[in-house]
Amino acid sequence: MNGQFERQITRRTLLRGALTGVAGTGAFILVGCGDDAAPTPTATRTGPAITPPPQATASPAATSAASLIWRKLDITGPTARRDHSMTLNPEDGRIYLFGGRARGVASNDLWIFDPNASSWSLVATSGASPAERFGHNAFYDRVNKRLVIALGQQDGSTFFDDVWAFDPATSAWTDIGGTSSNKPEVRYGAGGAHDEAENRILISHGFTDRGRFDDTWIFDLASNRWITIATDGAVPVKRCLTRCLWQPSNQQMLLYGGQTDDTPFLGDQWSLDTTDGAWAEQKPALNPGARNLFGATLNATGDRWYIFGGNTPDGPSADSWTYDLAASAWSKLEASSPPPARYSADAAIAGNSLFVFGGHNGSAEVGDTWALDLA
């Protein structure tokens, strides 16, 4: 990044308590970046390239967390798409779906899924709206009762560094990211998380046509200002198509998977300690395996992280995993009748169910809605 930082969080300021870190709620969301062409070792203007093999295979051996059943919901909703976001509004238990792309064309429509009625509805917004995009990050700001989206990409050469908020009470969007003169370089495919206690967003890594990143930024939702985190020691390799979550018990952000130069599928796991700006690689005995473009969401209590599908070395996946934050352990959900394998879908939990919409099956975008009852 060029220019002077408005405020750079150093080890000293972190230790003095000026910053306690940030990241992930119900549906953080990173969605995918990448076009369907053979992986290339360097960045191009069309983004990181990935090609799913023609068939998916079984995931690594895992312990069973439960015996569960997927249900396909026979409902009409958003058009088929991928790389959108799904975010739970905990105030009313409904899920927001924003943006995404289909056949190379990005969108900026906003939909609401009502899990009680099992129905989708298109939101009629007023005034200015965020530009069409995919590969953005999305969160629900419970303090200000609003949906927040950040960053993303529109096409091969148009990327964003903006932040927008949607107020359900007025059905209006507001650009809230313009008060910082210093901000992350435009990007998509970044990991994102939300610290509800401090009401701040954490953004890490990502991609633009200039290359991939390994930096980490905070957006303070009270002051609407960006802050960069100065990190010490080893840092996860530059990547995109990764996902992150916030762990409030230890003030750390967890990062998993993604894609980097020459390695289209990563399966490493890292934690960022926001008290001292230090990254540490974690090596659990069991994990979901190397992948990118997977859906991910936290449950309502914030103690379990769920991921679904993704693109793997063996092709699109349909497996589901959960990460127990307290135990720092992964387990595979043994669920029957899963959705067809896919990547670039997203997921959100409402009530006791995990909902998945859309994605790409290796041939085309899909527009189906699925539910996995977790109770």
Side-chain angles (χ1 to χ4, degrees), residues 79-94:
T79 55
R81 67 189 66 196
R82 56 172 162 163
D83 304 331
H84 48 281
S85 61
M86 292 177 66
T87 310
L88 174 69
N89 177 348
E91 309 292 340
D92 60 16
R94 299 189 298 173

Side-chain angles (χ1 to χ4, degrees), residues 11 21 47 59 125 145-146 190 227 233 238 246 266 272 276 311 322 338 349 372 374:
R11 177 182 289 271
S59 301
T125 59
K145 301 183 186 304
R146 58 188 182 176
I227 307 160
K238 294 180 179 181
W246 177 246
L266 295 169
L272 174 63
D276 62 8
N311 203 25
T322 183
I349 290 178
L372 179 65
L374 302 170

Side-chain angles (χ1 to χ4, degrees), residues 79 81-83 98-109 130-136 152-156 158 160 365:
T79 55
R81 67 189 66 196
R82 56 172 162 163
D83 304 331
F98 176 78
R101 61 170 169 164
R103 298 182 180 179
V105 179
S107 63
N108 66 346
D109 51 353
E132 295 85 353
R133 70 190 64 201
F134 60 91
H136 52 280
Q153 180 183 5
Q154 187 176 95
D155 55 36
T158 303
F160 300 104
E365 288 91 5

Side-chain angles (χ1 to χ4, degrees), residues 69-83:
I69 302 174
W70 281 97
R71 296 180 291 116
K72 183 179 181 181
L73 305 184
D74 186 17
I75 56 177
T76 301
T79 55
R81 67 189 66 196
R82 56 172 162 163
D83 304 331

Side-chain angles (χ1 to χ4, degrees), residues 146-161:
R146 58 188 182 176
L147 170 70
V148 176
I149 67 160
L151 313 180
Q153 180 183 5
Q154 187 176 95
D155 55 36
S157 60
T158 303
F159 298 81
F160 300 104
D161 61 5

Side-chain angles (χ1 to χ4, degrees), residues 46 73 76 114 204 209 218 312 315 329 357:
T46 56
L73 305 184
T76 301
D114 184 339
S204 194
D209 51 2
I218 285 170
T312 78
F357 176 83

